[in-house]
Amino acid sequence: MGAVGSVVVSLDAELGWGFHDLPEPPAKRVESGRRGWSVMLELLDEFDVPATWAVVGHLMLESCDGVHADHPAPPGWFDRERGAWADREDLRFGPDLVEGVLEADADHELASHTFSHVLFGDPKTDRELAAAELDRATEIAAEWGESIDSFVYPRNDVGHRDVLAEYGVSAYRGRSPTRDGVRGVFDSTVRDQSLVTTPRTDEHGLVNVPASLFLFGFEGPARTVAESIWTDPMLELARRGIDEAVRSDGVFHMWLHPNNLTSERDDQRMRSILSHLERRRSETDLTVETMGDVARRIQRSRGTGIDGAAGGVDGQATVRSN
């Protein structure tokens, strides 16, 4: 068969922090964060799929004063924590959920999603703020006895990669070949665009493990119509990406937020995807890796001509999917 690629699953684990800066957070998804987190842990264990859990550092705290006086955040950044969500500890803290990741049967990777979901690519995010976010997240992880090897940018807004390198990060999830999940459906079905990517080392020594497919990029009425006359488009794309990884030596990197699982229909999408992955893994040499696994593999290949240098991505368009 020749070379066989691998599959990576990454999750942006954020609870309320993924929406705290929005004027009107989407209530259904905000309230689905804990449910989806638990469902994904169960499914990943059931199918023995190790995943990269990119966790907002604040969730690993037991409590806080809500002030964060030493944090160089812009004015108003923590207003929702201090105000509307002051009594919603279930949205602001999640040490029980993080423990679930670390104690799971599947060998998950704990990665960073910053301390408070700051957008690193935002022009208003200076180096001081980026460093403070990563410093605090790394500090909290160390208190848990964990180190941070991989990083997922909030809303895929890439920036300050030099800060990641300074803090010992090895890998980050880079931009997707398509701008968002809806265009991903169009490009991949109509234009037959490849879903497999090639991780490479950038000029900072970081391994860019690009996203291939956001698994909840085709929702709402369009999804309902598509399922009524055909099938779940995202399920078909995920299956195709997994099959393509079997035939290649690249990486199919699919990602989601736990809060995307708002109903049993969403649970079934993930169960079907992981079931297909399990079947293809049993039939072939296909492997499942975490982002950290990919980085270590790429780093071992340095000097062999396998690894290449990827150009900077800070100047490229970014993918923003809440």
Side-chain angles (χ1 to χ4, degrees), residues 15 36-37 40 46 48 53 73 83 103 117 145 156 163 165 188 193 224 232 235 237 242 261 276 279 286 292 304:
L15 296 185
W37 192 314
M40 281 306 303
E46 178 181 346
D48 191 25
W53 288 78
E103 295 174 0
H117 210 260
N156 295 303
V163 174
S188 298
Q193 177 172 322
T224 300
D232 179 353
L235 171 57
L237 283 175
I242 292 167
L261 277 66
H276 185 74
R279 182 174 68 82
L286 181 70
T304 65

Side-chain angles (χ1 to χ4, degrees), residues 4 34 44 72 105 110 112-113 133 230 248 321:
V4 178
R34 283 183 164 268
L44 293 169
D105 291 335
L110 182 69
S112 176
H113 200 40
E133 282 282 297
W230 179 44
S248 74
S321 296

